[in-house]
Amino acid sequence: MTVTLNVPPRPLTVHDVTALAEADELHCFELTEGNLVVIPPRTLGHQHSASRLGVWLMNHGFPGRTGLFVGLKTTDDDLNGRVPDVAVTKGYVPGETVWIPAENVLLAAEIVSAGSERTDRWFKPLEYAAAGIEHFWRVEPDGTVLRFRLVDGAYAEIGKDPLDALLAGEVPDLD
């Protein structure tokens, strides 16, 4: 299947990406320095892990504050936006909000899968840390959840658990 996108001949903004996403529901789009990043549909396993983590967070103290695959502005300009697999906001964000400012995000979580390894392990944590997001979790392909907290502008690992074990307990302190 071929999808033709009408991409403007300039650095893109999160508003442009929103319009592209409305025209092409098969892909997820992110933005880095005005450059479009096209992400193929997530696998069923990827979606399953994100859903389990998101539902667990919703049921354990973060209802109305947990979202799956939401837009996240990682800078003050409109040239950078990521889509974490799971995000927890610091408070209520209206449902029609497409791009949540990073200062409103408490936790960003990424599920590592084929094709996203470097981005999820290296680039996104650097962006999220620079944006001041306090917590970053990464779910590895083997089901290990690495939990990080922002310390002096960089993430420090604070925990490592199998996903099933993490979901069997209470949510580690996020506030």
Side-chain angles (χ1 to χ4, degrees):
M1 171 193 236
T2 302
V3 176
T4 303
L5 299 175
N6 184 15
V7 180
R10 58 170 167 70
L12 299 180
T13 67
V14 292
H15 309 293
D16 296 323
V17 172
T18 300
L20 290 171
E22 290 171 353
D24 178 359
E25 296 179 3
L26 293 177
H27 296 92
C28 175
F29 301 99
E30 294 184 331
L31 197 59
T32 301
E33 301 299 323
N35 296 299
L36 186 65
V37 178
V38 180
I39 301 167
R42 292 163 176 95
T43 66
L44 187 57
H46 189 114
Q47 293 179 46
H48 183 69
S49 293
S51 297
R52 289 179 65 208
L53 185 57
V55 168
W56 175 71
L57 286 162
M58 286 182 225
N59 289 332
H60 287 84
F62 300 96
R65 295 173 50 192
T66 302
L68 304 178
F69 315 116
V70 297
L72 167 61
K73 283 182 62 174
T74 55
T75 59
D76 290 336
D77 60 31
D78 284 337
L79 300 176
N80 294 279
R82 293 292 192 172
V83 181
D85 295 307
V86 180
V88 175
T89 61
K90 292 179 180 177
Y92 173 75
V93 175
E96 64 275 357
T97 302
V98 175
W99 295 98
I100 300 169
E103 63 262 16
N104 293 338
V105 177
L106 179 63
L107 165 69
E110 296 290 348
I111 314 297
V112 177
S113 57
S116 74
E117 297 94 338
R118 283 187 226 156
T119 301
D120 291 341
R121 291 183 183 133
W122 302 104
F123 301 122
K124 286 187 177 183
L126 289 173
E127 277 186 64
Y128 295 159
I133 297 171
E134 187 73 22
H135 297 273
F136 172 69
W137 292 2
R138 186 176 72 231
V139 181
E140 290 291 335
D142 68 358
T144 301
V145 181
L146 299 167
R147 295 181 289 111
F148 302 88
R149 185 176 198 121
L150 195 60
V151 177
D152 297 326
Y155 286 121
E157 186 177 322
I158 59 169
K160 181 177 179 179
D161 304 286
L163 180 59
D164 289 337
L166 182 70
L167 300 180
E170 293 300 314
V171 175
D173 182 32
L174 290 178
D175 291 319

